[in-house]
Amino acid sequence: EAAHDIRRLRRLAALESERGAPLRDVRLYRLPADAPDRLRLKVAQVHGALALSDAVPALENFGFRVIEEVPTALGAGADGTARQGTLHDFGLQLGEGDDAAAILDRGEAIEQAIADVLNGLAEDDAFNRLIVGTGLSALESNWLRAIYRYLRQAGMSFMIGTAVDALRRAPLATRALVALFAARHDPAFAGDRVAEAARQTDALRRALAQVAAINDDRLLRHYQAVIGAVLRTNAFAPAAREALAFKLDS
């Protein structure tokens, strides 16, 4: 554990000197004695400390429940100020249906997504639950976030929590939606776009047939309609990190 922490703090210090701004790094892990529905998250930073009022809502937006937090000031002086950095060790309870082993298998991507939020580089809302609970990448989750905002502007009444819950309850449909979007618009896609789009549309149809709740079905079909109407997007370009744009067939 100590070796992991030292490496991360050294890497953070180097990054901070390059960027000129304080940064946080995170690591997910488990101990042998931990319960099956528990994970641990260690947050490292070289300067300052992380307020619980900032950390807890962000982690809850990833679907975790924060059980405990133990801060450790490294090289603390007489005034208690950390001279070499601060480590925050969080105990997390997983959401219903989430699997610790599956989360750790995708640990690097999830860690990066959490770090981006804690560093103010990514959105902090309930759509981040899809990264942990549905196996989406942060990029894919952001596509669905942007479409949700368009649907709200167009008059859809579903609140953000309701929308995310519907997407989580239908993981096969949700993954088919993002795969359909990628098949239609990813410039790096190497196969037959028309055939892959047809395959994902069929997968979505079969997944929708398993959705029992009427409102969930309505929401997922709204997403399907918007994805079907997208003519062009910058979603796969670097500019999307600043502003994600869709051109719709109206």
Side-chain angles (χ1 to χ4, degrees):
E1 285 298 312
H4 280 297
D5 296 337
I6 291 169
R7 282 197 298 270
R8 289 190 175 236
L9 284 167
R10 285 177 176 171
R11 184 164 68 89
L12 269 183
L15 287 171
E16 285 190 4
S17 65
E18 291 177 8
R19 300 184 185 184
L23 294 173
R24 296 174 176 125
D25 190 28
V26 309
R27 182 167 68 88
L28 286 164
Y29 69 103
R30 293 188 76 225
L31 297 179
D34 287 341
D37 66 341
R38 299 292 174 88
L39 279 177
R40 295 171 187 264
L41 178 77
K42 192 165 286 188
V43 180
Q45 59 188 86
V46 178
H47 299 100
L50 176 62
L52 279 177
S53 57
D54 293 332
V56 172
L59 294 174
E60 289 180 343
N61 276 335
F62 280 90
F64 299 120
R65 182 183 176 199
V66 178
I67 303 300
E68 62 179 347
E69 185 261 352
V70 179
T72 303
L74 303 180
D79 60 355
T81 302
R83 308 297 186 191
Q84 299 173 14
T86 305
L87 299 174
H88 299 267
D89 210 345
F90 292 91
L92 306 177
Q93 183 174 12
L94 305 186
E96 184 178 355
D98 290 343
D99 179 71
I103 291 172
L104 289 176
D105 284 344
R106 301 180 53 246
E108 186 173 342
I110 295 172
E111 289 167 355
Q112 186 61 58
I114 295 172
D116 282 348
V117 169
L118 295 180
N119 287 318
L121 302 175
E123 298 272 4
D124 182 13
D125 63 26
F127 273 90
N128 290 332
R129 294 180 201 164
L130 301 177
I131 300 171
V132 173
T134 314
L136 300 190
S137 68
L139 180 65
E140 292 165 341
S141 176
N142 202 39
W143 300 341
L144 299 183
R145 175 185 289 113
I147 293 172
Y148 168 78
R149 289 176 175 169
Y150 167 76
L151 288 169
R152 286 285 291 174
Q153 290 178 350
M156 185 185 73
S157 60
F158 294 111
M159 300 302 289
I160 187 170
T162 303
V164 170
D165 286 344
L167 291 162
R168 282 204 64 185
R169 280 191 291 265
L172 295 178
T174 300
R175 288 193 283 268
L177 285 168
V178 298
L180 176 60
F181 182 80
R184 288 168 56 92
H185 300 289
D186 185 353
F189 185 83
D192 184 329
R193 288 187 186 276
V194 174
E196 180 62 14
R199 190 174 76 84
Q200 294 302 334
T201 299
D202 186 60
L204 178 58
R205 177 188 58 77
R206 286 184 277 109
L208 288 172
Q210 303 302 313
V211 175
I214 293 175
N215 283 340
D216 288 7
D217 182 84
R218 284 178 55 208
L219 177 95
L220 293 164
R221 292 183 189 277
H222 283 323
Y223 267 94
Q224 182 181 18
V226 172
I227 289 173
V230 174
L231 298 175
R232 292 193 300 276
T233 178
N234 70 345
F236 300 91
R241 192 164 182 88
E242 296 297 326
L244 181 58
F246 305 121
K247 179 175 177 57
L248 302 179
D249 183 1
S250 56

